[in-house]
Amino acid sequence: MFQSFLQKTLTSIPKYAAANAIKQNRGPQIHLLAQKLSTEAASPSSNDVGSDQNMRFHHIRPKNHTEGTHKKFISPRKRANIMMNEITQAAKEGAHNPKVHDVAFRVGDSIELTMVSQGGVKSSQLEKIRGVVLGMDKKGLGTGVYLRDVVFGEPVDRKIPLYSPLIKNIKILEKNFVFKGKRKIKRAKLYYLRDRLPQETRVTKY
């Protein structure tokens, strides 16, 4: 009767803990039984290795778990960035002008922009701006180009937003205007030309 009570107790708690408790509080007969149970716990059978009973202290994936049902957490800031990128991309597609955004000019080229001088977007009063491309800022709708020219002996720097509705078209006047095609331009910004002679960046002939 005592052995049946002992076996019921062993099934409710881990075997190694039961063996240690019995070894400390019972007599030599129970001590032999405790040794037997401890050896069985040290060398479990092959059928019990992967069972949930022996791995009760481990994190076990539930049986009804299916792949793909768990959604990955995305922080609010990251979700806002994704949403803002989608809005910016849609706005760029809506404001796309082939005469402006499909022109393949590079840094160091001389270009001519035709834009509205006054009177609004639908105005027919246009002006032409020339200059050497010193650099570009690619920031979505804030994409702009830096132009430098010398007008009446005075250097003039401008930053023109390319997605502005006031710009009608862009025309390339000369490729590699800075070095006249003698060598390749390897910089993304040519701000050092501001410290050079004005004749190096002069595009307008007056």
Side-chain angles (χ1 to χ4, degrees), residues 37-107:
L37 293 174
S38 62
T39 53
E40 291 179 358
S43 60
S45 60
S46 59
N47 298 329
D48 298 337
V49 171
S51 62
D52 295 346
Q53 186 70 19
N54 295 332
M55 300 177 64
R56 65 178 67 186
F57 299 107
H58 296 272
H59 296 284
I60 304 173
R61 180 175 294 183
K63 295 180 180 180
N64 58 354
H65 178 80
T66 56
E67 296 293 339
T69 58
H70 178 69
K71 294 183 179 180
K72 184 179 179 181
F73 173 75
I74 302 177
S75 63
R77 177 175 294 181
K78 191 171 183 180
R79 284 183 291 174
N81 291 337
I82 295 173
M83 186 181 301
M84 192 62 190
N85 290 335
E86 294 177 356
I87 294 173
T88 303
Q89 189 66 26
K92 287 175 64 178
E93 293 177 358
H96 182 76
N97 186 0
K99 296 182 180 179
V100 176
H101 304 110
D102 293 345
V103 181
F105 63 90
R106 298 183 60 186
V107 176

Side-chain angles (χ1 to χ4, degrees), residues 10 14-23 30-44:
L10 294 176
K15 293 182 180 181
Y16 60 90
N20 292 333
I22 295 170
K23 181 179 178 181
I30 303 176
H31 177 67
L32 297 175
L33 183 59
Q35 286 183 349
K36 182 179 180 181
L37 293 174
S38 62
T39 53
E40 291 179 358
S43 60

Side-chain angles (χ1 to χ4, degrees), residues 32-193:
L32 297 175
L33 183 59
Q35 286 183 349
K36 182 179 180 181
L37 293 174
S38 62
T39 53
E40 291 179 358
S43 60
S45 60
S46 59
N47 298 329
D48 298 337
V49 171
S51 62
D52 295 346
Q53 186 70 19
N54 295 332
M55 300 177 64
R56 65 178 67 186
F57 299 107
H58 296 272
H59 296 284
I60 304 173
R61 180 175 294 183
K63 295 180 180 180
N64 58 354
H65 178 80
T66 56
E67 296 293 339
T69 58
H70 178 69
K71 294 183 179 180
K72 184 179 179 181
F73 173 75
I74 302 177
S75 63
R77 177 175 294 181
K78 191 171 183 180
R79 284 183 291 174
N81 291 337
I82 295 173
M83 186 181 301
M84 192 62 190
N85 290 335
E86 294 177 356
I87 294 173
T88 303
Q89 189 66 26
K92 287 175 64 178
E93 293 177 358
H96 182 76
N97 186 0
K99 296 182 180 179
V100 176
H101 304 110
D102 293 345
V103 181
F105 63 90
R106 298 183 60 186
V107 176
D109 299 344
S110 61
I111 62 176
E112 180 183 76
L113 286 84
T114 303
M115 61 183 300
V116 178
S117 59
Q118 59 182 357
V121 178
K122 298 182 180 180
S123 176
S124 59
Q125 299 182 15
L126 305 178
E127 65 174 347
K128 295 183 179 181
I129 297 176
R130 296 180 177 182
V132 181
V133 181
L134 298 184
M136 295 181 64
D137 278 343
K138 297 183 179 180
K139 299 178 181 179
L141 291 176
T143 300
V145 59
Y146 292 94
L147 296 181
R148 182 178 176 84
D149 193 10
V150 178
V151 181
F152 297 109
E154 292 294 331
V156 180
D157 284 7
R158 300 183 181 94
K159 182 181 179 182
I160 309 297
L162 295 182
Y163 282 95
S164 173
L166 299 177
I167 300 177
K168 299 303 180 181
N169 58 57
I170 295 178
K171 178 183 177 182
I172 300 177
L173 299 178
E174 184 179 349
K175 287 280 189 180
N176 199 346
F177 177 83
V178 177
F179 299 130
K180 307 300 179 183
K182 295 181 181 178
R183 59 192 178 98
K184 189 176 180 180
I185 296 176
K186 299 182 180 180
R187 294 191 181 189
K189 302 290 188 295
L190 302 179
Y191 296 151
Y192 67 92
L193 293 176

